[in-house]
């Protein structure tokens, strides 16, 4: 069964570019206040969630389910709205929300990579992305005060790596999509 993800390589690439932009923003503004970081995170995650849902719906229109992508999109939209609607929430609570989102996102990327085995070779990039993302979420929970003190650079670095890996996967999916449709 064909997963439909190669057809949505542009959406995955856009999510990667968005993550790279947010990562650069967080890394180049080390003195920014936590509320600014929360709002920036909220916007980036909300947009990323919308793009993930769009990709999942496109796959679903052709009876090609992509539940990891759609699930991540719904969770991302919820987390993004929470960050935008309640930016005054306690920093520690926000850290746990971010850590939880990062952990769940990493696990869902591992599931997506397993599903992609049928569509692309070397899906290991997405598995590595998922493992590193999930591990980062666990570290944020285990070391909350260290996480708060270094939240901007940690979130920025994580987002930057996440974005680069998504762009790599998007280009691999594009190559797969073109190869599949070259004979048509």
């Amino acid at each position: 069964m064909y997963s439909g993800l190669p057809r949505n390589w542009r959406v995955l690439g856009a999510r990667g570019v968005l993550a790279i932009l947010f990562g650069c923003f967080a890394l180049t503004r080390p003195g920014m206040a936590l509320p600014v970081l929360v709002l920036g995170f909220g916007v980036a995650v909300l947009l990323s969630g919308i793009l993930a849902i769009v990709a999942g719906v496109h796959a679903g229109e052709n009876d090609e389910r992509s539940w990891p992508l759609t699930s991540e999109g719904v969770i991302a939209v919820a987390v993004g709205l929470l960050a935008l609607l309640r930016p005054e929430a306690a920093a520690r609570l926000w850290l746990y929300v971010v850590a939880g989102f990062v952990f769940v996102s990493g696990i869902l990327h591992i599931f997506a990579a397993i599903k992609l085995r049928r569509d692309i070779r070397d899906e290991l990039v997405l598995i590595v992305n998922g493992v590193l993302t999930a591990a980062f979420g666990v570290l944020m929970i285990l070391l909350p005060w260290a996480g708060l003190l270094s939240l901007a650079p940690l979130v920025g670095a994580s987002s930057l790596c996440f974005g680069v890996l998504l762009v790599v996967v998007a280009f691999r999916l594009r190559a797969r999509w073109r190869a599949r449709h070259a004979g048509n």
Side-chain angles (χ1 to χ4, degrees), residues 60-82:
E61 287 174 353
N62 297 310
D63 294 326
E64 300 164 341
R65 300 291 177 219
S66 180
W67 69 267
L69 193 57
T70 305
S71 299
E72 181 187 7
V74 170
I75 292 167
V77 166
V79 170
L81 287 174
L82 177 67

Side-chain angles (χ1 to χ4, degrees), residues 25-38:
F25 170 74
L27 288 171
T28 58
R29 309 265 192 250
M32 84 175 99
L34 191 57
V36 173
L37 182 62
V38 171

Side-chain angles (χ1 to χ4, degrees), residues 44-109:
V45 171
L46 180 65
L47 292 174
S48 178
I50 291 168
L51 290 171
I53 290 170
V54 166
V57 167
H58 283 291
E61 287 174 353
N62 297 310
D63 294 326
E64 300 164 341
R65 300 291 177 219
S66 180
W67 69 267
L69 193 57
T70 305
S71 299
E72 181 187 7
V74 170
I75 292 167
V77 166
V79 170
L81 287 174
L82 177 67
L84 290 172
L85 297 174
R86 302 282 298 160
E88 72 284 350
R92 191 171 191 171
L93 174 65
W94 186 72
L95 176 72
Y96 289 134
V97 168
V98 171
F101 168 74
V102 167
F103 178 77
V104 170
S105 179
I107 298 301
L108 290 173
H109 283 173

